[in-house]
């Protein structure tokens, strides 16, 4: 009997067929000892809720997938849908190559421990090795160790591959020890400039039927009980969202505002990612990115590639390669785009900068590990400045819970903040600029444990990226990579006047305010007259009458920048001449939000890995540092006054 020497390729956040080192190796190396390969994706019971896959009458053996601090779902409905689309697209992509995808549910260790002996029990089939891509993260590293140990016990080879979805390959980093990574982004950036020359070439999609064969379906053992794997996309999606839809995400979720369009209507998957990449270049969105990245409304102010980057449906070097083909004029599909063949422009340069920031957050995760989730950050800073239901300080636990509920529900009474939070609930997305303000508002205005905000973003953002989200929240909370730490504070009213001067964004997502024309009233509804409140039906509503924060702010008033770091289109956030700006992949492609710095301000979040890491934006061209330092000098005498203004009476 012919032996089927089988490799299990365990996929996590490398959901693509192109620029995939493992698939490329399997399709091109002729000396491999494997006759078959089983691509395997596991819906991880620790990171998303899997009780929807349980057969009727049974119970899940796993506890609910909830966050540690606030108890939110680890993966909310919007991200679950995007993930399902991405996994199903990968399945179709592998099938086009003559392979397939085995889908399982459970903990990674449980699935692997059960699968190896079951497959080995089939006549002629032998599991020879398991390959997977290494990732940064406490849980991710624990999974890798568990799989390695299981393989050792089963006498199965194990190989952990480098994660190559980032801009600069690990093999090309300017240091050998991660402890040598600078805690200041600017310092790291300077060691890898010029950025355009560093990325390695991309790898092609394997040719059809070039991969080792997919094991016969009859020999692939079924999912272990009590779970059942759906055989259609809709059934898969239904299983993922069933337990999430059984409970309200927030206490008083408001209806989707009529006439408002999502800024992120894009489905998940490699095919959609590549289509989006071609579109942003052909439509000139990439070239104009530097000037539009602080936008709040619309689909094209940022790249919207962060969610695809977070799941590895596309790689940073694929984005770079497409930009190069446009800049060098070597791909005629972009020839109608402005700037074709004229080299790097401000927009394409800014995109690379954001991608590098995403790289940096990934490396910081590697360096600091569990400290990424520590209240005091990697700086081990003062943990007493924040409150939570378990550490309410002078407030009652119920009062703190009420504040958190109003925050997640988008009823804080601060227009820009509420608009962003409602957009997030309804669409799974919000811009980098909005993310920065939300994070600063929660951590530095309300003084709520910033990890609660990071967990909410983990639940809600379609472009959630572990490194970008948690790194950017640390940055904004003042316990991460921001040299100015707690003294950098975003004034959400000032920011609204700067980036939403007519209140269009706020009114789009807070429709109760559409009857207003005065921006100051749109941004702080409590400033309306009683007559106007009554006219709009807002009289007596807590978010109008008793906002969580009142800010005394007048346009043009001297001192309106107190608490900010400089002007130049945003809040400067880093030292060393860098200024940051905005997402998750910063939204654009952020890890959950991309980078900043380099003189022209970057982005943050996760977007993502979009979501809160790069906030604020600077002026650039060397101007950021001088503005920032001058601001720091002026703040010495004005900071206390500013803080008092942020804590104005709420009734």
């Amino acid at each position: 009997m012919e032996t089927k020497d089988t490799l299990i390729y365990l996929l996590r956040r490398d959901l693509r067929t192109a620029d995939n080192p493992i698939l490329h190796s399997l399709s091109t190396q002729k000396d491999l000892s494997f006759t078959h390969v089983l691509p395997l994706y596991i819906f991880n019971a620790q990171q998303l809720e899997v009780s929807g896959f349980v057969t009727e009458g049974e119970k899940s053996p796993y506890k609910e997938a909830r966050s540690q601090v606030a108890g939110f779902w680890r993966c909310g409905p919007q991200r679950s849908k995007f993930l399902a689309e991405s996994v199903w697209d990968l399945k179709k992509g592998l099938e086009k190559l003559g392979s397939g995808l085995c889908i399982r549910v459970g903990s990674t260790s449980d699935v692997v421990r059960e699968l190896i002996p079951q497959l080995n029990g089939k006549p002629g089939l032998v599991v020879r090795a398991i390959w997977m891509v290494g990732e940064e993260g406490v849980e991710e590293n624990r999974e890798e160790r568990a799989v390695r140990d299981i393989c050792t016990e089963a006498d199965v080879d194990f190989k952990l591959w480098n994660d190559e979805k980032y801009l600069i390959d690990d093999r090309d980093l300017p240091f050998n020890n991660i402890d040598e990574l600078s805690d200041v982004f600017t310092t790291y950036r300077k060691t890898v400039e010029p950025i355009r020359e560093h990325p390695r070439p991309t790898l092609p999609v394997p040719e059809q039927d070039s991969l080792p064969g997919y094991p016969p379906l009859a020999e692939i053992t079924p999912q272990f009980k009590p779970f059942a794997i759906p055989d259609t996309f809709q059934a898969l999606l239904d299983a993922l969202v069933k337990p999430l839809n059984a409970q309200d995400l927030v206490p008083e979720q408001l209806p989707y505002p009529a006439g408002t369009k999502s800024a992120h209507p894009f489905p998940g998957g490699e095919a959609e990612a590549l289509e989006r990449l071609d579109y942003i270049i052909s439509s000139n969105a990439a070239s104009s990115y530097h000037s539009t990245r602080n936008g709040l409304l619309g689909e094209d102010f940022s790249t919207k590639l962060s969610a695809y980057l977070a799941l590895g449906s596309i790689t940073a070097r694929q984005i770079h390669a497409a930009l190069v083909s446009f800049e060098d004029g070597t791909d005629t599909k972009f020839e109608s785009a402005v700037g074709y063949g004229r080299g790097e422009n401000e927009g394409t340069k800014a995109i690379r900068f954001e991608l590098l920031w995403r790289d940096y957050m990934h490396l910081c995760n590697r360096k600091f590990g569990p400290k990424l989730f520590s209240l005091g950050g990697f700086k081990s800073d003062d943990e007493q400045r924040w409150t939570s239901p378990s550490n309410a300080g002078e407030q009652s636990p119920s009062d703190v819970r009420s504040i958190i509920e109003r925050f997640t529900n988008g009823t804080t009474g601060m227009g820009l903040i509420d608009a962003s939070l409602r957009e997030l609930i309804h669409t799974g997305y919000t811009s980098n600029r909005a993310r920065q303000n939300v994070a600063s508002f929660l951590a530095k205005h309300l003084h709520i444990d910033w990890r609660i905000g990071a967990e909410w973003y983990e639940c809600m953002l379609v472009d959630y990226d572990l490194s970008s989200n948690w790194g950017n929240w640390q940055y904004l909370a003042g316990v991460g990579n921001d040299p100015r730490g707690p003294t950098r504070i975003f004034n959400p009213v000032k920011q609204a006047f700067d980036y939403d001067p007519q209140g269009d964004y706020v009114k789009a997502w807070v429709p109760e305010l559409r009857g207003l024309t005065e921006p100051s009233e749109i941004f702080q509804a409590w400033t309306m007259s009683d007559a106007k409140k009554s006219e709009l039906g807002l009289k007596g509503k807590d978010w109008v009458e008793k906002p969580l924060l009142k800010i005394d702010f007048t346009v043009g008033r001297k001192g309106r920048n107190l608490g900010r770091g400089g002007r130049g289109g945003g809040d400067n956030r880093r030292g060393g001449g860098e200024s940051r700006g905005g997402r998750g992949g910063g939204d654009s492609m952020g890890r959950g939000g991309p980078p900043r710095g380099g003189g022209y301000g970057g982005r943050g979040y996760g977007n993502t890995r979009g979501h809160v890491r790069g906030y604020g934006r600077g002026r650039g061209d060397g101007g950021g540092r001088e503005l920032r330092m001058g601001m720091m000098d002026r703040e010495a005498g004005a900071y206390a006054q500013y803080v008092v203004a942020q804590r104005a009476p709420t009734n």
Side-chain angles (χ1 to χ4, degrees):
M1 179 183 295
E2 180 184 0
T3 301
K4 301 180 183 67
D5 295 317
T6 302
L7 164 72
I8 296 176
Y9 170 19
L10 178 55
L11 294 109
R12 293 189 290 180
R13 295 177 186 86
D14 43 339
L15 307 184
R16 64 187 181 279
T17 57
D19 201 21
N20 185 315
I22 290 181
L23 294 182
H24 182 261
S25 174
L26 290 171
S27 67
T28 58
Q29 292 188 25
K30 304 304 179 183
D31 57 349
L32 292 174
S33 58
F34 311 115
T35 60
H36 292 74
V37 59
L38 179 68
L40 170 67
Y41 183 82
I42 302 170
F43 284 101
N44 190 326
Q46 293 176 319
Q47 298 184 348
L48 55 81
E49 181 57 28
V50 297
S51 59
F53 292 93
V54 173
T55 55
E56 188 173 354
E58 300 288 340
K59 291 184 178 181
S60 173
Y62 302 106
K63 64 180 182 180
E64 289 186 330
R66 300 270 184 181
S67 63
Q68 291 187 4
V69 179
F72 301 134
W73 290 117
R74 292 286 303 276
C75 183
Q78 303 287 357
R79 184 154 68 90
S80 293
K81 179 176 182 291
F82 194 88
L83 174 61
E85 292 166 343
S86 301
V87 171
W88 206 257
D89 181 77
L90 173 66
K91 180 177 182 292
K92 293 191 294 184
L94 288 168
E95 289 170 350
K96 288 180 181 178
L97 299 179
S99 186
L101 181 66
C102 178
I103 297 175
R104 290 291 181 265
V105 169
S107 73
T108 300
S109 57
D110 286 348
V111 171
V112 172
R113 185 178 290 109
E114 183 111 357
L115 191 59
I116 292 176
Q118 287 182 344
L119 292 176
N120 283 339
K122 298 294 182 178
L125 196 154
V126 180
V127 176
R128 296 295 186 187
I130 293 182
W131 289 356
M132 61 192 300
V133 172
E135 296 181 4
E136 305 306 330
V138 175
E139 293 177 339
E140 289 71 16
N141 294 162
R142 187 184 301 125
E143 284 180 356
E144 293 155 11
R145 292 192 298 270
V147 174
R148 184 190 300 273
D149 291 344
I150 293 169
C151 287
T152 299
E153 294 172 4
D155 195 25
V156 170
D157 290 337
F158 176 81
K159 181 175 181 180
L160 195 65
W161 288 66
N162 287 336
D163 192 348
E164 297 188 30
K165 63 175 170 279
Y166 296 96
L167 189 64
I168 298 180
D169 194 280
D170 276 0
R171 294 163 289 187
D172 302 325
L173 292 173
F175 48 77
N176 296 318
N177 189 323
I178 191 61
D179 290 335
E180 298 174 22
L181 175 70
S182 173
D183 293 347
V184 177
F185 173 70
T186 307
T187 304
Y188 168 70
R189 173 182 58 78
K190 290 179 179 178
T191 65
V192 294
E193 289 182 327
I195 301 172
R196 192 177 186 270
E197 297 178 6
H198 272 74
R200 293 193 174 201
T202 59
L203 303 171
V205 179
E207 295 182 3
Q208 188 174 12
D209 298 323
S210 64
L211 296 170
Y214 192 74
L217 293 177
E219 298 184 3
I220 299 177
T221 55
Q223 164 75 44
F224 62 77
K225 295 180 180 179
F227 302 105
I229 303 301
D231 56 6
T232 67
F233 167 73
Q234 188 59 52
L236 176 69
L237 177 59
D238 290 344
L240 284 170
V241 301
K242 179 181 177 181
L244 309 180
N245 291 338
Q247 304 176 23
D248 292 331
L249 280 174
V250 292
E252 300 177 16
Q253 183 166 330
L254 300 167
Y256 194 103
T260 298
K261 295 182 179 180
S262 170
H264 197 293
F266 312 107
E270 179 180 19
E272 293 287 344
L274 296 174
E275 181 178 333
R276 177 65 182 173
L277 175 59
D278 285 352
Y279 170 79
I280 64 170
I281 297 176
S282 300
S283 68
N284 301 318
S287 292
S288 62
Y289 171 75
H290 180 255
S291 61
T292 64
R293 61 191 174 178
N294 273 316
L296 299 171
L297 287 168
E299 298 178 8
D300 296 342
F301 62 81
S302 63
T303 70
K304 305 300 190 301
L305 292 173
S306 55
Y308 302 110
L309 283 164
L311 292 177
S313 297
I314 196 171
T315 67
R317 63 189 184 189
Q318 283 179 292
I319 297 172
H320 163 78
L323 293 176
V324 168
S325 69
F326 159 74
E327 294 163 341
D328 292 350
T330 57
D331 192 334
T332 55
K333 68 182 176 184
F334 300 135
E335 62 183 354
S336 62
V338 176
Y340 178 73
R342 299 177 189 173
E344 186 178 51
N345 58 43
E346 285 300 302
T348 58
K349 181 181 179 182
I351 290 175
R352 288 192 178 93
F353 184 85
E354 299 291 356
L355 290 170
L356 187 66
W357 175 254
R358 188 182 191 88
D359 277 20
Y360 181 65
M361 289 289 97
H362 157 74
L363 294 172
C364 286
N365 186 0
R366 181 183 302 174
K367 179 177 180 178
F368 298 114
K371 290 184 178 180
L372 193 67
F373 310 100
S374 170
L375 181 57
F378 71 76
K379 294 180 178 180
S380 298
D381 208 347
D382 174 26
E383 298 187 357
Q384 299 305 311
R385 70 176 104 148
W386 293 285
T387 58
S388 67
S390 61
N391 182 32
E394 297 179 358
Q395 303 179 75
S396 69
S398 62
D399 285 344
V400 176
R401 289 192 193 93
S402 176
I403 291 172
I404 294 169
E405 288 178 356
R406 288 182 59 178
F407 172 83
T408 58
N409 206 55
T411 52
T412 70
M414 186 63 64
L416 178 62
I417 304 303
D418 288 344
S420 175
L421 290 167
R422 296 190 195 186
E423 179 186 23
L424 180 64
I425 291 172
H426 290 304
T427 72
Y429 179 84
T430 190
S431 72
N432 177 64
R433 174 57 53 183
R435 295 182 201 200
Q436 297 177 53
N437 277 276
V438 168
S440 178
F441 182 79
L442 183 72
K444 292 180 175 177
H445 289 287
L446 301 184
H447 308 286
I448 297 293
D449 185 337
W450 62 268
R451 297 173 302 174
I452 294 173
E455 288 181 349
W456 185 239
Y457 271 24
E458 176 179 0
C459 172
M460 299 305 298
L461 282 171
V462 295
D463 62 0
Y464 169 75
D465 172 275
L466 187 154
S467 299
S468 295
N469 184 65
W470 288 85
N472 279 318
W473 269 94
Q474 279 204 359
Y475 187 98
L476 285 189
V479 296
N481 295 86
D482 185 359
R484 287 182 50 197
T487 63
R488 189 188 311 279
I489 301 177
F490 280 68
N491 181 330
V493 181
K494 166 75 171 71
Q495 289 275 302
F497 274 106
D498 283 350
Y499 299 105
D500 188 29
Q502 302 305 314
D504 294 335
Y505 172 71
V506 174
K507 289 194 289 185
W509 292 105
V510 187
E512 301 97 312
L513 303 177
R514 289 179 180 176
L516 299 175
T517 58
E518 173 55 49
S520 62
E521 296 177 346
I522 297 169
F523 303 147
Q524 295 194 100
W526 64 270
T527 62
M528 280 188 284
S529 67
D530 287 344
K532 192 170 293 184
K533 292 175 187 176
S534 297
E535 178 186 344
L536 297 176
L538 299 176
K539 186 74 172 173
K541 291 187 177 292
D542 280 352
W543 64 273
V544 176
E545 306 286 5
K546 299 179 181 179
L548 297 182
L549 180 71
K550 291 182 177 180
I551 294 181
D552 181 14
F553 180 85
T554 303
V555 177
R557 185 185 69 183
K558 183 178 181 181
R560 61 186 250 190
N561 294 320
L562 293 179
R564 284 186 65 199
R567 283 197 47 89
D571 300 86
N572 296 318
R573 285 199 243 36
R574 321 180 142 78
E578 285 295 62
S579 43
R580 256 172 152 188
R583 168 192 166 9
D587 295 83
S588 198
M589 57 244 101
R591 313 140 171 139
R596 317 63 230 231
Y600 47 81
R603 250 163 190 34
Y605 286 95
N607 346 329
T608 107
R609 144 203 260 90
H611 290 264
V612 175
R613 308 173 164 167
Y615 295 111
R617 230 173 214 346
R619 202 157 155 159
D621 302 328
R625 180 183 189 117
E626 294 173 35
L627 286 169
R628 189 179 296 105
M629 296 309 293
M631 194 67 220
M632 290 173 70
D633 292 339
R634 291 193 297 275
E635 279 180 357
Y639 179 64
Q641 176 184 346
Y642 176 76
V643 171
V644 170
Q646 308 315 300
R647 297 177 178 176
T650 58
N651 51 32

